Amino acid sequence: MIGRVLAVTGAALLLAGCGVGTGTVATEQLRIMVPNAAGGGYDTTARIAAGVIEVEAIDERPEIFNLEGASGGAGLARTVHERGNGDLMMMMGLGVVGSIHTNRTTASLDDVTPIARLMSEPEVVLVSSGSRHQDIGSLVREWRAHPRRVVVGGGSLAGGPDHLATHLLAEAVGIDPRDVRYRQYDGGGPLLAALFSGRVDVAVSGVLENIDQVRTGAVRVLAVTGDRRVPGVDAPTLRGAGVPLEFSNWRGLVAPPGLTGAERDRLIDLVTRMHDSASWREAERANGWTDEFVTGDAFGAFLADESDRVRAVLARLGV
């Protein structure tokens, strides 16, 4: 089974440059929009999902296409514009929620049809393999002593998971979040390049976007932000290292507004069958994901609560 899922994952990643388009005509083939560049966490998750749907003979492999802009705001606006299109879903997560509050988008999560939250994953606190910091305690001591000297890189704008995790971590260790020097990069590739070149001292990012570099030893994980250690990652949780913080990102699927009950139920059923498959379970284990599956109205209630939470955190942090 492991080989089977790795083949699914590999096939999905090989398609990272394929299926990219911006057509607006609805088709009978399911399409999944990724609201940022190829290669990121949303993109990889969408392509793994498409591979599982095909391998498990649930449906024809969905077409994946990328629509970048406004940290997911452009994709959200496009989804809302596609009103009544029952052959489209958008992969999203905490970053899209944050973009609503920081980019003043006209589209709202109230405008979409919630399909399913799939899973959650922690962030990781990374340094290059040559860094002087061997553990999170070493980094925290330097950060406290010289908060304006330590440059933290992330792949999300204000309100996104990397940004929120960085500032919540600063708050948790007694650093004024307003003193954080956070630099945003467009995805995991540019962020890792900045880390390796020394333009940032530390990176805060998702597990999935960095797992290959972790496995090869190119980067060192000082801590993971979730409530449990990640299999295959030799690093403690923040709480296990004495830092009072737990933080997780999540990903899910939404569809355009104006769907019939039958169209909504069809998408929920398809995603449920994917989630319940052996291939998806193996993908969760392989990528360090925590199953957080919830569908329909329950996912919609979660989206509303998450939007309120992000708004409150940004206001409290003053960033």
Side-chain angles (χ1 to χ4, degrees):
M1 179 60 68
I2 292 175
R4 179 189 185 195
V5 172
L6 290 178
V8 170
T9 306
L13 293 175
L14 284 172
L15 289 172
C18 303
V20 178
T22 57
T24 60
V25 179
T27 68
E28 292 184 359
Q29 181 186 8
L30 178 64
R31 308 173 78 213
I32 300 178
M33 180 197 304
V34 175
N36 56 13
Y42 292 163
D43 184 75
T44 305
T45 305
R47 296 178 192 281
I48 290 173
V52 170
I53 288 169
E54 181 180 43
V55 164
E56 296 287 345
I58 296 168
D59 202 346
E60 179 182 356
R61 177 189 287 270
E63 177 191 349
I64 309 297
F65 71 103
N66 300 72
L67 181 62
E68 304 173 50
S71 296
L76 180 62
R78 165 71 176 275
T79 302
V80 172
H81 178 71
E82 293 273 354
R83 183 177 185 86
N85 184 353
D87 295 314
L88 176 69
M89 292 191 292
M90 182 182 79
M91 182 66 68
M92 65 160 295
L94 186 57
V96 175
V97 178
S99 74
I100 295 170
H101 297 291
T102 56
N103 291 321
R104 299 179 180 178
T105 60
T106 56
S108 164
L109 291 174
D110 293 334
D111 299 324
V112 299
T113 300
I115 301 302
R117 182 185 66 197
L118 298 173
M119 49 74 176
S120 66
E121 71 166 2
E123 298 278 289
V124 286
V125 183
L126 298 166
V127 293
S128 66
S129 58
S131 171
R132 61 186 173 279
H133 298 301
Q134 298 294 318
D135 54 50
I136 191 69
S138 171
L139 172 66
V140 167
R141 287 191 293 272
E142 180 177 339
W143 205 7
R144 282 174 175 160
H146 307 288
R148 298 296 297 170
R149 291 186 192 174
V150 176
V151 181
V152 184
S156 61
L157 295 174
D162 302 351
H163 175 268
L164 287 176
T166 297
H167 288 80
L168 288 170
L169 175 58
E171 181 185 54
V173 299
I175 297 168
D176 188 334
R178 292 170 295 185
D179 288 335
V180 171
R181 293 183 63 193
Y182 176 84
R183 291 183 183 170
Q184 185 267 332
Y185 293 87
D186 188 15
L191 175 59
L192 285 170
L195 184 66
F196 294 146
S197 67
R199 296 195 298 276
V200 299
D201 301 295
V202 58
V204 176
S205 186
V207 174
L208 181 58
E209 293 169 277
N210 301 279
I211 194 65
D212 289 341
Q213 289 74 24
V214 172
R215 288 169 175 162
T216 62
V219 296
R220 181 183 305 124
V221 180
L222 302 183
V224 297
T225 67
D227 62 355
R228 68 195 73 178
R229 295 173 70 107
V230 174
V233 177
D234 184 19
T237 65
L238 287 172
R239 284 199 181 275
V243 178
L245 176 66
E246 290 178 6
F247 179 91
S248 292
N249 190 12
W250 55 269
R251 297 190 188 99
L253 291 158
V254 297
L259 302 190
T260 66
E263 289 170 330
R264 171 181 176 267
D265 291 347
R266 166 184 166 260
L267 293 176
I268 290 175
D269 178 68
L270 185 150
V271 175
T272 299
R273 291 170 62 196
M274 179 203 75
H275 164 267
D276 292 346
S277 72
S279 296
W280 183 257
R281 295 297 187 196
E282 182 58 29
E284 288 183 326
R285 287 190 291 271
N287 292 293
W289 296 339
T290 298
D291 187 64
E292 298 278 3
F293 192 66
V294 66
T295 64
D297 292 341
F299 180 38
F302 168 81
L303 289 175
D305 290 344
E306 194 74 341
S307 181
D308 290 343
R309 182 179 75 91
V310 170
R311 182 190 300 109
V313 169
L314 289 172
R316 187 183 82 242
L317 295 178
V319 292

